[in-house]
Amino acid sequence: MIKAGVVGGAGYTGGELVRILINHPSVEIKFVHSKSNAGNLVSDVHTDLLGDTDLRFSPSLTSDIDVLFLCLGHGDSKLFLENNDINKAIKIIDLSQDFRLKVNAGTRWAYGLPELNREAIKTSSFIANPGCFATCIQLGLLPLAAKGLLTNEIHINATTGSTGAGQGLAATSHFSWRNNNLSVYKAFEHQHLNEIGESLKQLNRKFEQVLNFIPQRGDFARGILAAMYLESDLTTEEAQRIYRDYYAKHPFTHVSKKNIDLKQVVNTNKAIVHVEKHGTKLFIVSIIDNLLKGASGQAVQNMNLIFGLEETEGLRLKAVAF
Amino acid sequence: MIKAGVVGGAGYTGGELVRILINHPSVEIKFVHSKSNAGNLVSDVHTDLLGDTDLRFSPSLTSDIDVLFLCLGHGDSKLFLENNDINKAIKIIDLSQDFRLKVNAGTRWAYGLPELNREAIKTSSFIANPGCFATCIQLGLLPLAAKGLLTNEIHINATTGSTGAGQGLAATSHFSWRNNNLSVYKAFEHQHLNEIGESLKQLNRKFEQVLNFIPQRGDFARGILAAMYLESDLTTEEAQRIYRDYYAKHPFTHVSKKNIDLKQVVNTNKAIVHVEKHGTKLFIVSIIDNLLKGASGQAVQNMNLIFGLEETEGLRLKAVAF
Amino acid sequence: MIKAGVVGGAGYTGGELVRILINHPSVEIKFVHSKSNAGNLVSDVHTDLLGDTDLRFSPSLTSDIDVLFLCLGHGDSKLFLENNDINKAIKIIDLSQDFRLKVNAGTRWAYGLPELNREAIKTSSFIANPGCFATCIQLGLLPLAAKGLLTNEIHINATTGSTGAGQGLAATSHFSWRNNNLSVYKAFEHQHLNEIGESLKQLNRKFEQVLNFIPQRGDFARGILAAMYLESDLTTEEAQRIYRDYYAKHPFTHVSKKNIDLKQVVNTNKAIVHVEKHGTKLFIVSIIDNLLKGASGQAVQNMNLIFGLEETEGLRLKAVAF
Amino acid sequence: MIKAGVVGGAGYTGGELVRILINHPSVEIKFVHSKSNAGNLVSDVHTDLLGDTDLRFSPSLTSDIDVLFLCLGHGDSKLFLENNDINKAIKIIDLSQDFRLKVNAGTRWAYGLPELNREAIKTSSFIANPGCFATCIQLGLLPLAAKGLLTNEIHINATTGSTGAGQGLAATSHFSWRNNNLSVYKAFEHQHLNEIGESLKQLNRKFEQVLNFIPQRGDFARGILAAMYLESDLTTEEAQRIYRDYYAKHPFTHVSKKNIDLKQVVNTNKAIVHVEKHGTKLFIVSIIDNLLKGASGQAVQNMNLIFGLEETEGLRLKAVAF
């Protein structure tokens, strides 16, 4: 059994991680750390876990673990690692953005997108888990990048569920405001653009194209749908083949010939990508669950890879479907 | 023109009141007071009013008004009136619960439910506007009370939209929590039970029945649906007649022979009541928009009555319907 | 009083039209025609109208009217006019797409977008009311077209509420499917592209740019939000000035300096447009209520213009806001 | 491996069953039968299954199975069994209401509510899976029935998600209608009252109380919340103890001391019950996912019991939580 610790377990990604790990056949949770909730039952915070676990939030960390998940706010992971001396034998999977960019990652941290970096992940002890928008958008573009086909400006509009903004209370997460609403935020300036750019360049050395990215706040709780296009010489069939080939050995990312909708992936670790040609434009739709493939599910997928488990172990989740 | 002032104009009921008053043909808004937003455009807070008004929130009150609406939190209206010397010629309509109960109202305040108290309202200078649940439930029971037919225990389950809880941020108003959710709160103990009891006793002197009231939080923003029943000797037809007769001269409350649903009244000042007999039980469904007939719309209805306008003036609002 | 008739009054746009007209101070509804519902109370179909009108659906048309609204399916308006001999003195406002394009409109029909065509509308007897997506997108682009500034490819992503698809039952309008879902449809191929292109060309003779349009199905009932951008030399300030100038005399379309969200216009006849520059891209967000400014509200606005009423008469609607 | 066949696999409960069975470690699906979809990929109908299964709907049944699930409309299961000669060695689990009542079940069918009938289920070859409302309500009342404490009239208000009504298109399942709406249907007359009554009588021989049941249609897709109360002499603590004792050995039904909300159980096979005393009333809230504990999950739970598997096998599902 892999012994796991979770830091920052009271938030959305921490809770989602616990939901996965308590049913993971090869994992034993040693502690779920939370400063604010130390001593409380995990199921008093993540109330859907009533009856599933008697764990309590721990005020401190123990070192009898094989893997440590950091589910902290952006900036806090770096601080945590500066202030805590983690045993070198322990693998660390960080869900914040602190180590995603090469300038912060150095040679130590691997970018944890298995569809891009699977072999590097397997041998790494430090994983920077990708952002949710970044995961969704990259999965829509990687097959083209790998063929050097991202030779034109890229246009992206992506809508995220409310859990993407975390559980903090804010005007834009108030039910009365968000219900039945839609809005744009951080147009052209979302922080995930940087990690997307680095990944595309990793596959497509000469990639210098503009990524135009319009993020939107949707009135649903889970999921991201990204609609993207660029000028391309490919036909629909050629593009489908390139995508199918690229993802053939990746168990969570699937290519659909049919039009897709967000709920096909909600509450799963899957991504589904659809490509079709319109005139001179190649159009790509990509969907994920922001808390799973976009966060905690991908973190467990990375753990599976590091420890030599089957990549899908503990991650064959029933879609909510409705 | 009636000159109106609004205190506490930055909240939900204050905003809703402004939305009504700016289109009311006989009203001129003299000020919308807000401490926290003094100097800001009203349309910067109630952003749907962009293009409809250039009003700014006022830091202070002026006395050149005929009517003052208090849209303050519970307890704050009382404080406000203790600390501010309001010209005696000004009519006051308070939307808080501070003066609804006889023990607080004394002989000065009239309970502002036109379907119960229309004549008293017309001649009063101080109106305590009813609570939203209280309005919805009373409109479902008043015709029976008026006939002395509330002779048995009453069973009430009512579900409210999120705006009923105000714009404060709270765990139960977070979109990620409330979306697609349902929950019970304050079962048997909601504070509106008292004002409902007083009204029923006013019509039905000997009323001593138990009111069992289960309030629920719905995953919609506006509206209350109350489902109620009690033992009764009436037939469906007799009950319908009693309800139709009672509401015949009340322009906002209608009796439907057909099954009803919440959205029939959302974004209107109307109430719709449906009655039918099942076995020995008389079953009543009552629906209102909590911010309109349950708050600001009713406040304007009371204003219309006080100033001798047509009761519906400025209140023929288009339902949102969808 | 203007005497109005409505054909196809049992559908969404027909119902919305009736909701507006029954409160319009200068209009008297002479009939609401519906084949399928002839004889039924209008309020039995549009159940929110209970208590507001005793009208029944009429099986036939009468000619004692000044204006006839056609709320029929696409293709049916043309058929209707071929099969019915309408008195030449009667103005006709058609909400279908049958007469929007010049090839179908000939010299007889005016395209009913007041922000583009107000003077032509005033003197026309035949109005082709614009499509909902077309209205939203054009209002975001007209000021640039008028200045000849649409000199580059345009990128549009727009999400519509479920009422845009009408009341017919379909898999994509089933609540279990659409709730919390998001999907793309008719990418690059939506039928409204044609009417948008014609309007832009009307203002911008040399307009030959590609309009890339990705329509999305949102999980809300009302409203359209369009996010658009193109290469431009304008600064934010220059663009804002151009937009403000263009819409200065149009009472329903407003330019917001602040970020906007869909619910600012839901249940109103307003449009709000926001422009800002990012790098070399001019970014435009445009919002409307698809059933009002995108259909029945705009139809009444056109009627007001034709009959010399104030453009906003009967259309100062309270936003639902929540 | 248990070999399973599914009849009626294209509907909601059929799809949900397939979602569970494809990940069940001890089950192999031999066929998913559907007349209307014969030959199509299962993942073309239940599109969230893309990448999870290559199964196609089968036009016919085979007899190489151990268990047959009937996911047919009410009335169709009876017809199916009359018209098809099923090998006697095959266990049958029927999700319709055709064999739930003793008058239809005879001595052959066991009522498949494990919390009531676990031992009988283990030895039965014919299981009538309970209704969704019936499951939710019974789980709230069984502990009292077992102690003979249902000695007074019972008051029940329960709200269901849209999937409870199946995938057929209907006015009340149209997104434009149901979104943000709430309504009552079949007040006092829901067909599940009969099966609830039989179960309570099974535990509480003298049970003759009236069950007042108000079903409501909620604007969410999954889940049922039932709020119930009755006169009782129990204290909160006594009631909690009785409930905890009753469910101590039932792995899916839990007693919460805290207030509960619907999403704690959505997308799980769990039920959570909360009890508290108010005055003389014992108040009980019970929540389930209507498609899982209320249908397909409970069907698999019954299968597990019949075949001697651990009751929770394949049913430790991750809650959607948001």
Side-chain angles (χ1 to χ4, degrees):
Chain A
M1 296 293 274
I2 298 163
K3 293 185 287 281
V6 178
V7 175
Y12 282 173
T13 56
E16 201 69 1
L17 191 61
V18 172
R19 278 177 202 107
I20 298 169
L21 295 181
I22 57 171
N23 286 322
H24 193 296
S26 302
V27 173
E28 177 189 3
I29 302 179
K30 297 300 284 188
F31 63 82
V32 182
H33 176 266
S34 165
K35 262 192 243 174
S36 52
N37 280 287
N40 293 337
L41 284 169
V42 169
S43 62
D44 278 352
V45 170
H46 306 300
T47 56
D48 57 285
L49 291 176
L50 179 72
D52 295 330
T53 177
D54 294 328
L55 274 172
R56 286 180 184 276
F57 288 107
S58 160
S60 58
L61 285 65
T62 58
S63 60
D64 59 339
I65 54 171
D66 302 304
V67 61
L68 182 66
F69 293 92
L70 303 182
C71 299
L72 296 166
H74 300 311
D76 293 338
S77 288
K78 192 159 175 293
L79 271 176
F80 175 87
L81 291 176
E82 287 166 5
N83 295 329
N84 288 274
D85 193 24
I86 308 296
N87 187 316
K88 290 196 188 337
I90 298 171
K91 315 291 186 186
I92 295 180
I93 299 175
D94 177 37
L95 282 79
S96 84
Q97 67 183 28
D98 292 1
F99 303 100
R100 291 178 194 158
L101 298 182
K102 288 199 170 53
V103 63
N104 303 317
T107 55
R108 201 182 185 193
W109 292 82
Y111 186 67
L113 185 62
E115 286 79 358
L116 172 72
N117 265 350
R118 184 156 51 188
E119 295 313 309
I121 292 165
K122 284 182 181 173
T123 59
S124 178
S125 295
F126 297 87
I127 304 293
N129 215 53
C132 51
F133 271 128
T135 296
C136 187
I137 291 167
Q138 289 175 74
L139 292 177
L141 298 175
L142 290 181
L144 298 177
K147 293 280 186 191
L149 294 171
L150 294 178
T151 52
N152 286 288
E153 203 170 354
I154 302 168
H155 304 281
I156 307 166
N157 183 297
T159 306
T160 183
S162 61
T163 52
Q167 70 192 154
L169 301 171
T172 52
S173 64
H174 196 299
F175 182 85
S176 302
W177 184 85
R178 189 150 186 160
N179 180 43
N180 276 10
N181 210 349
L182 185 65
S183 55
V184 170
Y185 71 112
K186 297 185 184 174
F188 297 94
E189 293 172 1
H190 196 280
Q191 64 275 14
H192 286 185
L193 282 168
N194 294 322
E195 55 179 294
I196 298 169
E198 287 197 353
S199 295
L200 299 180
K201 207 165 278 185
Q202 174 180 331
L203 289 176
N204 197 356
R205 282 288 174 94
K206 296 184 189 158
F207 177 72
E208 305 246 352
Q209 297 307 320
V210 177
L211 291 165
N212 301 288
F213 174 27
I214 311 296
Q216 298 188 153
R217 294 183 196 96
D219 64 326
F220 43 85
R222 280 177 174 263
I224 294 176
L225 180 145
M228 304 174 263
Y229 56 88
L230 75 167
E231 290 284 331
S232 167
D233 292 332
L234 296 173
T235 64
T236 294
E237 291 68 29
E238 289 166 346
Q240 286 177 342
R241 195 174 326 118
I242 288 170
Y243 276 71
R244 276 203 312 273
D245 289 351
Y246 189 90
Y247 290 121
K249 298 202 171 151
H250 289 284
F252 288 112
T253 301
H254 304 285
V255 183
S256 172
K257 287 197 173 182
K258 306 206 165 183
N259 200 2
I260 59 181
D261 61 270
L262 185 58
K263 287 206 291 193
Q264 290 180 254
V265 296
V266 171
N267 211 34
T268 78
N269 195 52
K270 295 198 288 188
I272 302 183
V273 180
H274 172 74
V275 284
E276 59 186 32
K277 192 73 179 294
H278 291 276
T280 59
K281 298 289 196 303
L282 185 66
F283 179 57
I284 306 136
V285 184
S286 174
I287 51 175
I288 63 163
D289 183 310
N290 58 304
L291 289 179
L292 289 167
K293 184 62 180 166
S296 306
Q298 187 146 269
V300 174
Q301 186 181 354
N302 282 320
M303 181 201 75
N304 287 346
L305 289 171
I306 292 173
F307 290 93
L309 306 178
E310 197 190 350
E311 195 165 345
T312 58
E313 191 172 330
L315 289 170
R316 296 189 175 283
L317 304 169
K318 194 188 87 60
V320 69
F322 305 108
Chain B
M1 294 293 272
I2 299 161
K3 294 186 287 280
V6 178
V7 175
Y12 282 172
T13 56
E16 201 68 359
L17 191 60
V18 173
R19 279 178 201 105
I20 298 169
L21 295 181
I22 57 172
N23 286 323
H24 193 296
S26 303
V27 172
E28 177 190 3
I29 303 179
K30 298 301 284 189
F31 62 82
V32 182
H33 176 267
S34 164
K35 263 192 241 173
S36 52
N37 281 287
N40 294 336
L41 284 168
V42 170
S43 63
D44 278 352
V45 170
H46 306 299
T47 56
D48 58 285
L49 292 175
L50 179 72
D52 296 329
T53 177
D54 294 328
L55 274 172
R56 287 181 185 274
F57 288 107
S58 160
S60 57
L61 285 63
T62 59
S63 59
D64 60 338
I65 54 171
D66 302 305
V67 60
L68 181 66
F69 292 93
L70 303 182
C71 300
L72 297 166
H74 300 310
D76 292 339
S77 289
K78 192 159 174 295
L79 272 175
F80 175 87
L81 292 177
E82 286 167 5
N83 295 329
N84 289 273
D85 192 23
I86 308 296
N87 187 316
K88 291 199 187 335
I90 297 172
K91 315 290 184 186
I92 296 180
I93 299 176
D94 176 39
L95 281 80
S96 83
Q97 66 184 26
D98 292 1
F99 304 100
R100 291 178 193 156
L101 299 183
K102 291 200 168 54
V103 63
N104 303 316
T107 55
R108 200 181 186 196
W109 292 83
Y111 186 68
L113 185 63
E115 286 80 356
L116 172 70
N117 264 350
R118 184 154 52 187
E119 295 314 310
I121 292 164
K122 284 181 182 174
T123 60
S124 178
S125 295
F126 297 88
I127 303 292
N129 214 54
C132 50
F133 271 128
T135 296
C136 188
I137 291 167
Q138 288 175 75
L139 292 177
L141 299 176
L142 290 181
L144 298 177
K147 292 281 188 192
L149 293 171
L150 294 179
T151 52
N152 286 289
E153 203 170 355
I154 302 169
H155 303 280
I156 307 166
N157 182 298
T159 306
T160 183
S162 60
T163 52
Q167 71 193 150
L169 300 171
T172 52
S173 65
H174 196 298
F175 182 85
S176 302
W177 185 85
R178 190 150 185 160
N179 180 44
N180 276 9
N181 211 349
L182 185 64
S183 54
V184 171
Y185 70 112
K186 298 186 185 172
F188 297 94
E189 294 172 1
H190 196 282
Q191 65 275 13
H192 286 186
L193 281 169
N194 295 323
E195 55 180 295
I196 298 169
E198 286 195 356
S199 295
L200 298 181
K201 208 164 277 185
Q202 174 180 332
L203 289 177
N204 197 356
R205 281 291 173 92
K206 297 188 187 154
F207 177 71
E208 305 243 352
Q209 297 308 320
V210 177
L211 290 165
N212 301 289
F213 174 25
I214 311 296
Q216 298 188 151
R217 294 183 196 97
D219 64 326
F220 44 85
R222 277 176 177 267
I224 294 176
L225 179 145
M228 303 175 264
Y229 57 86
L230 75 166
E231 290 285 331
S232 168
D233 291 334
L234 296 173
T235 65
T236 294
E237 291 66 30
E238 289 167 345
Q240 287 177 341
R241 195 172 328 117
I242 287 171
Y243 277 71
R244 275 202 314 272
D245 289 351
Y246 188 90
Y247 290 121
K249 298 201 173 153
H250 290 282
F252 288 114
T253 301
H254 304 286
V255 183
S256 173
K257 287 198 173 182
K258 306 205 165 185
N259 199 3
I260 59 179
D261 62 89
L262 185 58
K263 287 205 292 193
Q264 290 180 254
V265 296
V266 171
N267 212 33
T268 79
N269 196 50
K270 296 198 287 189
I272 302 183
V273 180
H274 172 72
V275 284
E276 61 187 30
K277 192 71 177 296
H278 292 276
T280 61
K281 299 287 196 304
L282 185 66
F283 179 58
I284 306 137
V285 184
S286 174
I287 51 175
I288 64 163
D289 183 312
N290 58 303
L291 289 178
L292 288 167
K293 184 62 179 164
S296 306
Q298 186 146 270
V300 174
Q301 186 181 353
N302 282 319
M303 182 202 73
N304 287 346
L305 290 172
I306 293 173
F307 290 92
L309 305 178
E310 196 188 349
E311 193 166 345
T312 59
E313 191 173 331
L315 289 170
R316 297 191 174 281
L317 305 169
K318 194 189 86 61
V320 68
F322 305 110
Chain C
M1 294 295 273
I2 298 162
K3 294 186 287 282
V6 178
V7 175
Y12 282 172
T13 56
E16 202 69 358
L17 192 60
V18 173
R19 279 178 201 105
I20 299 169
L21 295 180
I22 57 171
N23 286 321
H24 193 296
S26 303
V27 172
E28 177 190 3
I29 302 179
K30 297 300 285 188
F31 63 81
V32 183
H33 176 267
S34 165
K35 262 191 243 173
S36 52
N37 281 287
N40 294 336
L41 284 169
V42 170
S43 62
D44 278 351
V45 169
H46 306 300
T47 56
D48 58 286
L49 292 175
L50 178 72
D52 296 329
T53 177
D54 294 327
L55 275 171
R56 287 181 184 275
F57 288 107
S58 158
S60 58
L61 285 63
T62 58
S63 60
D64 60 340
I65 54 171
D66 303 305
V67 60
L68 182 66
F69 293 92
L70 303 182
C71 300
L72 296 166
H74 300 310
D76 292 338
S77 288
K78 192 160 175 293
L79 272 176
F80 176 87
L81 292 177
E82 287 167 5
N83 295 330
N84 288 273
D85 194 23
I86 309 296
N87 186 317
K88 289 196 188 338
I90 298 172
K91 315 290 184 186
I92 295 180
I93 300 176
D94 177 38
L95 282 79
S96 84
Q97 67 182 27
D98 292 1
F99 303 100
R100 292 178 192 156
L101 299 182
K102 289 199 170 51
V103 63
N104 303 316
T107 56
R108 199 181 188 197
W109 292 81
Y111 185 67
L113 185 62
E115 286 80 357
L116 172 71
N117 264 349
R118 184 154 52 188
E119 295 313 310
I121 292 164
K122 286 181 182 175
T123 60
S124 178
S125 295
F126 297 88
I127 304 293
N129 215 53
C132 50
F133 271 128
T135 297
C136 188
I137 292 167
Q138 288 175 76
L139 293 177
L141 299 175
L142 290 181
L144 299 177
K147 293 281 186 191
L149 293 171
L150 293 178
T151 52
N152 286 288
E153 202 170 353
I154 301 169
H155 304 280
I156 307 166
N157 183 298
T159 307
T160 183
S162 60
T163 52
Q167 71 193 151
L169 300 171
T172 52
S173 64
H174 196 297
F175 182 86
S176 302
W177 184 85
R178 190 151 185 159
N179 180 44
N180 276 8
N181 210 349
L182 185 66
S183 55
V184 170
Y185 71 111
K186 297 186 184 172
F188 297 94
E189 292 172 2
H190 196 280
Q191 65 275 13
H192 286 185
L193 281 168
N194 295 323
E195 55 180 295
I196 297 169
E198 287 196 354
S199 296
L200 298 180
K201 208 164 276 183
Q202 174 180 332
L203 289 177
N204 196 357
R205 281 292 174 91
K206 296 185 187 157
F207 177 72
E208 304 245 351
Q209 297 308 320
V210 177
L211 290 165
N212 300 290
F213 175 25
I214 311 296
Q216 299 187 151
R217 292 181 197 98
D219 64 327
F220 44 86
R222 279 177 175 265
I224 294 177
L225 180 145
M228 303 175 263
Y229 58 87
L230 75 166
E231 290 284 331
S232 168
D233 292 332
L234 296 173
T235 64
T236 294
E237 291 67 30
E238 288 167 347
Q240 286 177 341
R241 194 173 327 117
I242 287 170
Y243 277 71
R244 276 202 312 273
D245 289 351
Y246 188 90
Y247 290 122
K249 298 201 173 153
H250 290 284
F252 288 114
T253 301
H254 305 285
V255 183
S256 172
K257 287 197 172 180
K258 305 205 165 184
N259 200 2
I260 59 180
D261 61 88
L262 185 58
K263 287 205 292 193
Q264 289 181 253
V265 297
V266 171
N267 212 35
T268 79
N269 195 51
K270 296 198 288 187
I272 302 183
V273 180
H274 172 73
V275 284
E276 61 186 29
K277 191 71 177 296
H278 291 274
T280 60
K281 299 290 195 303
L282 185 66
F283 179 57
I284 307 137
V285 184
S286 174
I287 52 176
I288 64 163
D289 183 310
N290 58 302
L291 289 179
L292 289 166
K293 184 62 180 161
S296 307
Q298 188 146 265
V300 174
Q301 186 181 355
N302 283 319
M303 181 201 75
N304 286 347
L305 290 171
I306 293 172
F307 289 92
L309 306 178
E310 197 190 351
E311 194 166 344
T312 58
E313 191 172 329
L315 289 170
R316 297 189 175 282
L317 304 169
K318 194 188 86 59
V320 69
F322 304 110
Chain D
M1 295 294 272
I2 298 162
K3 294 187 286 281
V6 178
V7 176
Y12 283 172
T13 57
E16 201 69 0
L17 191 61
V18 172
R19 280 179 200 103
I20 298 169
L21 294 181
I22 57 171
N23 285 320
H24 193 295
S26 302
V27 172
E28 178 188 4
I29 302 178
K30 297 301 286 189
F31 64 80
V32 182
H33 176 268
S34 165
K35 262 192 243 173
S36 52
N37 280 286
N40 294 337
L41 284 169
V42 170
S43 63
D44 278 352
V45 170
H46 306 299
T47 57
D48 57 286
L49 291 176
L50 179 71
D52 295 330
T53 177
D54 294 328
L55 274 172
R56 285 180 184 276
F57 287 108
S58 160
S60 58
L61 284 63
T62 59
S63 60
D64 60 340
I65 53 171
D66 302 304
V67 60
L68 182 66
F69 293 92
L70 303 182
C71 299
L72 297 165
H74 299 311
D76 292 339
S77 287
K78 192 159 175 293
L79 272 176
F80 176 87
L81 292 177
E82 287 168 4
N83 295 330
N84 288 273
D85 192 23
I86 308 296
N87 186 317
K88 290 195 188 338
I90 298 172
K91 314 291 184 187
I92 296 180
I93 299 175
D94 177 37
L95 281 79
S96 84
Q97 67 182 27
D98 292 2
F99 303 102
R100 291 179 192 155
L101 299 182
K102 288 199 170 55
V103 62
N104 303 317
T107 55
R108 200 181 185 196
W109 292 83
Y111 185 67
L113 185 62
E115 286 81 357
L116 173 70
N117 264 349
R118 185 155 52 189
E119 295 314 310
I121 291 164
K122 285 182 181 174
T123 60
S124 178
S125 295
F126 297 87
I127 304 291
N129 215 54
C132 51
F133 271 128
T135 296
C136 188
I137 292 168
Q138 289 176 74
L139 292 177
L141 298 176
L142 290 181
L144 299 176
K147 293 279 187 191
L149 294 171
L150 294 178
T151 52
N152 286 288
E153 204 170 354
I154 301 169
H155 303 280
I156 307 167
N157 183 298
T159 307
T160 183
S162 60
T163 53
Q167 71 192 153
L169 300 171
T172 52
S173 64
H174 196 298
F175 181 86
S176 302
W177 185 86
R178 189 150 186 160
N179 180 43
N180 276 9
N181 211 349
L182 185 66
S183 55
V184 170
Y185 71 110
K186 298 186 184 172
F188 298 93
E189 293 172 2
H190 197 281
Q191 64 276 13
H192 286 185
L193 282 169
N194 294 323
E195 55 180 295
I196 298 169
E198 286 197 354
S199 296
L200 299 181
K201 208 165 277 185
Q202 175 180 333
L203 289 177
N204 197 356
R205 282 289 175 94
K206 296 186 188 158
F207 177 72
E208 304 245 352
Q209 298 307 320
V210 177
L211 290 164
N212 300 289
F213 175 26
I214 311 297
Q216 299 188 151
R217 295 183 196 94
D219 64 327
F220 44 85
R222 278 177 176 265
I224 294 176
L225 179 145
M228 303 175 262
Y229 57 87
L230 75 165
E231 290 284 331
S232 167
D233 291 333
L234 297 173
T235 64
T236 294
E237 291 68 30
E238 288 167 347
Q240 287 177 341
R241 194 173 328 118
I242 287 171
Y243 277 71
R244 275 202 314 271
D245 288 351
Y246 189 90
Y247 290 122
K249 299 201 171 151
H250 289 283
F252 287 113
T253 302
H254 305 284
V255 183
S256 173
K257 287 197 172 182
K258 306 203 165 187
N259 200 1
I260 59 179
D261 61 88
L262 186 58
K263 287 205 292 193
Q264 290 181 253
V265 296
V266 170
N267 211 36
T268 78
N269 195 51
K270 295 198 288 189
I272 302 183
V273 180
H274 172 72
V275 284
E276 60 187 29
K277 191 72 178 295
H278 292 275
T280 60
K281 298 289 196 304
L282 186 67
F283 179 57
I284 306 137
V285 184
S286 173
I287 51 175
I288 63 163
D289 183 310
N290 58 303
L291 289 179
L292 289 167
K293 185 62 181 164
S296 307
Q298 187 146 268
V300 174
Q301 185 181 354
N302 282 320
M303 181 201 76
N304 287 346
L305 289 171
I306 292 173
F307 289 92
L309 305 178
E310 196 189 352
E311 194 166 345
T312 58
E313 191 171 331
L315 289 170
R316 297 189 174 282
L317 305 169
K318 194 189 86 58
V320 69
F322 305 109

